[in-house]
Structure formats: structure tokens, C-alpha cells
Amino acid sequence: MAQSLQGSFGILPHRLDCTAALAPGILIYETETEGEVYLAVDQGVLVKADKDVLVSVRNAIGGTDLDELHEAVKREFLKVDEQEKNARSVLAKMESGFIRRLMRFQHE
């Protein structure tokens, strides 16, 4: 089961080939060896072609226990949020420096 921008959906063995834009959420799949596996995924794309299902996402955290996965997601997403804040701060400083130099160049 996966979360798309239009809602959740499942893929049965004889489903027609398809693609879907994935929304952040929990992707659930089953294997013979591991049983049900849960993946917390960021936005991405799912492609079903013949018997293959391919998923491409920017960030994913896997597990078989939902409680452990929930804690891992909280830790990782908090870390990512902090990294994004730092990156935005550096980018804002670079932009303002560029604008100041551009203004000086125009006045010369």
C-alpha cells in the first residue's frame, strides 16, 4: 500500500502498469522472507511495469515495527528540518551579499 497525491492505493499481482507520484507517508510491501515491511518515505515516484514495482524517493526509513519506525522518522525529520534551516540561512546570506554587490556595481 502506498500514499499518492490522490490517496492511498494497493497493487495486486495482475494490476495494469502504472505510475504514481508518492506523497510523504508509509509505504507497505510484503516479501516472502521478511513478511510485511514498512517504509516511511518522502515524496517520490512509484512505477509498476509488468511484475516489477520500482520506487524512487528522496528520503526513506525502513523497519518492521511501526513504533520504532515512528521514533526514527521523528529523529531523522527533525535533523533534516535543522539542516534545511541552516541551508536556508546560508542561502539568504549569499543572496543578500550578491544583491549588495550588484547594487554597488550599478552605482559605479
Side-chain angles (χ1 to χ4, degrees), residues 4 8 16 28 36 41 56 77:
S4 75
S8 63
L16 293 175
I28 304 169
E36 242 180 29
V41 298
S56 177
F77 286 170

Side-chain angles (χ1 to χ4, degrees), residues 70-98:
H70 182 262
E71 290 303 315
V73 166
K74 283 193 329 191
R75 279 192 312 271
E76 289 301 314
F77 286 170
L78 288 175
K79 184 170 47 173
V80 167
D81 283 346
E82 190 61 35
Q83 289 171 343
E84 285 181 4
K85 285 179 192 175
N86 292 338
R88 284 189 194 123
S89 174
V90 168
L91 194 56
K93 289 176 185 175
M94 289 172 58
E95 288 173 347
S96 64
F98 175 74

Side-chain angles (χ1 to χ4, degrees), residues 1 4-5 8 11-12 34 46 49 56 60 62 68-69 86 92 95 104:
M1 182 182 317
S4 75
L5 301 175
S8 63
I11 298 178
L12 297 173
E34 296 180 68
L46 178 141
S56 177
E68 290 176 13
L69 184 59
N86 292 338
E95 288 173 347
R104 273 191 243 135

Side-chain angles (χ1 to χ4, degrees), residues 26-83:
I26 302 294
L27 174 72
I28 304 169
Y29 66 92
E30 190 171 334
T31 68
E32 290 181 16
T33 56
E34 296 180 68
E36 242 180 29
V37 178
Y38 305 100
L39 282 176
V41 298
D42 200 347
Q43 61 192 3
V45 177
L46 178 141
V47 176
K48 194 261 183 209
D50 197 26
K51 294 182 180 183
D52 297 323
V53 178
L54 305 171
V55 176
S56 177
V57 295
R58 191 172 62 174
N59 296 307
I61 301 172
T64 54
D65 181 273
L66 283 177
D67 291 330
E68 290 176 13
L69 184 59
H70 182 262
E71 290 303 315
V73 166
K74 283 193 329 191
R75 279 192 312 271
E76 289 301 314
F77 286 170
L78 288 175
K79 184 170 47 173
V80 167
D81 283 346
E82 190 61 35
Q83 289 171 343

